[in-house]
């Protein structure tokens, strides 16, 4: 009896590819037309790189802000904002 | 795709812990030291929130390469640090999924195209396959621990990682927004006090 994990179905792969595509910012704008694999991979790489750049940029700006921050009240405020619609 | 709020909360909490441990709000740090501490805190916090998966182990491994990071990593990750640093049980080989995946990536999207000679169709699909291979190599370098992943795992972990990164960005943005607001309040308050003082003297 083959274990459940030793075979991955085509449906699972298709689902994964479609999830990846819906994650990408461009795909949401263009609609549901299926991108080629090469395009999907390229946009995924671009997306991850852009997220890395954002983290780097945010770290720069946070670094400037840090000296005068009250961390406890900031934390409370963010938690509140997470629960606002 | 989104992470639950509990993920962002855990991320925020551990990130702020990291800031406190590395004393980012002290005046004695240089801009770069502070920035690195912030980045490291953000990454370690993201790992903490996500728990054990291949990319988090990969990220811990690469962050640990710098000896200076160890204290902060331990401080933020606690017991998880040891667990995430253990060599991963070697991935169960799924050659079958790799074949299926490569087939889906290489040919599914091209089945509809029937134009051109036999020769043309062959070379265009070879090119497509080469391009896909090339981009997979790029992806492997972007994903922490990606070098040792293949096929389904690679894409699955990529999705997981991208979603977590997005959450990290979101939390950092909110923190920045609030810190700006509180700084603004601080300055306004100072200005008010100065004006009052000025008014009282005249």
């Amino acid at each position: 009896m083959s274990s459940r994990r030793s075979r991955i179905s085509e449906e699972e792969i298709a689902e994964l590819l479609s999830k990846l595509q819906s994650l990408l910012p461009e795909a949401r704008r263009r609609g549901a037309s299926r991108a080629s694999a090469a395009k999907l991979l390229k946009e995924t790489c671009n997306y991850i790189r852009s997220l890395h750049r954002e983290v780097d940029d945010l770290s720069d700006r946070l670094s400037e802000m840090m000296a005068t921050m009250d961390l406890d009240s900031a934390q409370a405020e963010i938690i509140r904002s997470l629960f606002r619609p | 795709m989104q992470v639950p709020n509990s993920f962002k909360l855990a991320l925020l909490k551990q990130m702020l812990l990291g800031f406190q441990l590395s004393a980012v709000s002290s005046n004695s740090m240089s801009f770069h030291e502070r920035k690195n501490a912030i980045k490291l805190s953000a990454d370690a916090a993201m790992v903490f929130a996500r728990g054990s998966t291949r990319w988090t182990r990969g990220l811990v491994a690469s962050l640990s390469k710098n000896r200076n990071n160890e204290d902060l990593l331990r401080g933020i990750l606690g017991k998880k640090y040891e667990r995430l640093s253990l060599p991963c049980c070697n991935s169960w080989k799924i050659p079958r999924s790799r074949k299926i995946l490569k087939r889906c990536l290489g040919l599914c999207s091209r089945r509809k195209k029937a134009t051109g000679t036999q020769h043309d169709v062959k070379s265009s699909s070879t090119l497509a396959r080469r391009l896909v291979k090339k981009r997979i190599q790029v992806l492997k370098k972007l994903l922490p621990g990606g070098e040792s992943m293949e096929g389904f795992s690679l894409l699955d972990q990529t999705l997981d990682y991208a979603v977590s990164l997005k959450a990290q960005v979101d939390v950092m943005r909110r923190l920045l927004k609030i810190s700006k607001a509180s700084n603004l309040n601080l300055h306004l308050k100072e200005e008010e006090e100065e004006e009052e003082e000025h008014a009282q003297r005249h």
Side-chain angles (χ1 to χ4, degrees):
Chain A
M1 178 129 175
S2 59
S3 92
R4 249 177 296 136
R5 302 189 96 199
S6 66
R7 193 197 163 109
I8 298 194
S9 66
E10 290 206 27
E11 293 93 62
E12 284 177 293
I13 294 177
E15 202 191 317
L16 184 56
L17 291 175
S18 119
K19 276 188 188 164
L20 263 174
Q21 187 165 348
S22 64
L23 189 69
L24 304 173
E26 283 233 9
R28 281 196 288 266
R29 268 178 267 142
R30 251 195 266 112
S33 70
R34 176 126 163 253
S36 73
K39 185 135 206 218
L40 182 65
L41 285 169
K42 178 177 109 173
E43 293 192 2
T44 301
C45 289
N46 286 343
Y47 182 56
I48 292 183
R49 268 191 288 250
S50 81
L51 288 173
H52 284 166
R53 279 194 301 267
E54 263 202 273
V55 170
D56 194 77
D57 176 61
L58 287 165
S59 303
D60 272 331
R61 290 150 77 188
L62 278 170
S63 183
E64 288 168 3
M65 288 285 152
M66 272 308 150
T68 53
M69 251 189 75
D70 171 8
L71 292 175
D72 288 320
S73 61
Q75 181 170 349
E77 183 53 41
I78 295 178
I79 293 171
R80 274 194 289 271
S81 83
L82 278 175
F83 291 107
R84 267 182 238 128
Chain B
M1 276 200 66
Q2 275 267 37
V3 297
N5 270 347
S6 56
F7 182 97
K8 289 185 184 176
L9 280 173
L11 207 166
L12 172 66
K13 198 168 167 214
Q14 296 311 105
M15 188 168 74
L16 292 177
L17 171 64
F19 292 174
Q20 285 166 346
L21 288 174
S22 46
V24 288
S25 46
S26 79
N27 288 320
S28 54
M29 282 183 130
S30 74
F31 174 85
H32 281 288
E33 284 173 332
R34 211 178 294 135
K35 179 184 173 173
N36 289 336
I38 289 172
K39 266 191 123 168
L40 182 58
S41 299
D43 279 339
M46 181 173 64
V47 165
F48 182 94
R50 180 56 187 84
S52 177
T53 189
R54 296 179 75 174
W55 70 259
T56 55
R57 288 166 172 275
L59 187 50
V60 168
S62 69
L63 291 174
S64 303
K65 281 191 189 146
N66 182 347
R67 288 278 153 183
N68 296 328
N69 294 342
E70 197 175 315
D71 284 338
L72 191 55
L73 281 172
R74 280 181 192 279
I76 293 176
L77 294 174
K79 279 187 271 180
K80 294 192 181 191
Y81 181 68
E82 300 297 349
R83 268 186 266 142
L84 290 168
S85 305
L86 289 171
C88 192
C89 58
N90 226 325
S91 55
W92 29 279
K93 292 291 181 184
I94 31 165
R96 218 177 198 158
S97 94
R98 206 199 298 195
K99 272 195 215 157
I100 296 174
L101 181 71
K102 292 291 155 82
R103 201 175 66 216
C104 277
L105 287 182
L107 299 174
C108 287
S109 58
R110 302 200 89 81
R111 234 171 250 158
K112 291 179 187 160
K113 303 215 169 145
T115 54
T117 64
Q118 186 63 28
H119 176 72
D120 280 351
V121 169
K122 236 194 206 162
S123 62
S124 73
S125 68
T126 310
L127 278 174
R129 246 180 278 133
R130 275 204 212 129
L131 193 56
V132 166
K133 260 192 178 172
K134 206 172 93 176
R135 293 189 172 157
I136 286 180
Q137 291 312 309
V138 172
L139 181 60
K140 279 182 167 195
K141 294 209 181 82
L142 284 174
L143 184 65
E147 298 288 353
S148 59
M149 297 186 218
E150 291 293 347
F152 190 85
S153 306
L154 180 63
L155 289 184
D156 187 58
Q157 288 286 294
T158 297
L159 180 66
D160 198 294
Y161 178 58
V163 167
S164 307
L165 265 183
K166 187 82 180 83
Q168 184 191 51
V169 164
D170 186 39
V171 170
M172 288 175 87
R173 262 200 212 133
R174 288 177 201 252
L175 182 59
L176 183 64
K177 189 173 171 195
I178 284 158
S179 74
K180 278 189 181 160
S182 74
N183 270 7
L184 187 65
N185 282 342
L186 195 71
H187 289 145
L188 284 175
K189 209 172 175 201
E190 285 172 357
E191 273 179 35
E192 267 177 33
E193 286 169 5
E194 272 182 43
E195 274 187 36
E196 262 194 44
E197 245 180 84
H198 189 80
Q200 276 175 9
R201 276 193 245 120
H202 294 275

